[in-house]
Amino acid sequence: MITYTWTLGPLAVKLADDGLTNVVYRVNWVLAGDEDSYHNQIYGDINVPPPGDVFTPYNDLTETQVQEWVESALGAEQVAAYKAAIARQIEMQKNPIDAVLPPPWQ
């Protein structure tokens, strides 16, 4: 069974924006999958919409909150597609269909 893990950051912030400080506007992310000794990952970044009426000060942000931003921005269908792609790559590591071999005359 593959275990999926999000790694979030660094976070790009606007130091000052409409009276607020350290307003996150972009999140870098990695979605990794691990099964036994096999590993694969996909990475990217997403833009975060302006805070609107709800603003969490930078020092009060939690990993869970930022992960929710990432998953919401990507959408459930895209997250599922990324997980499926990671699973396919891990399966290829476990059961390769091709290889690079040295010449037999060496």
Side-chain angles (χ1 to χ4, degrees), residues 24-100:
V24 177
Y25 68 89
R26 186 174 32 248
V27 177
N28 292 285
W29 57 267
V30 176
L31 177 59
D34 292 282
E35 183 177 36
D36 301 322
S37 62
Y38 303 100
H39 175 83
N40 195 265
Q41 64 186 28
I42 295 176
Y43 60 91
D45 61 60
I46 59 105
N47 291 324
V48 176
D53 294 335
V54 178
F55 177 71
T56 303
Y58 188 82
N59 289 335
D60 294 337
L61 289 172
T62 65
E63 186 174 12
T64 299
Q65 181 178 5
V66 175
Q67 181 177 330
E68 288 171 0
W69 293 350
V70 170
E71 290 190 50
S72 176
L74 293 173
E77 189 173 303
Q78 185 62 56
V79 171
Y82 285 151
K83 287 181 177 181
I86 289 169
R88 283 191 302 274
Q89 290 301 313
I90 288 175
E91 186 59 32
M92 291 295 291
Q93 292 172 25
K94 291 165 56 175
N95 299 296
I97 59 172
D98 56 15
V100 176

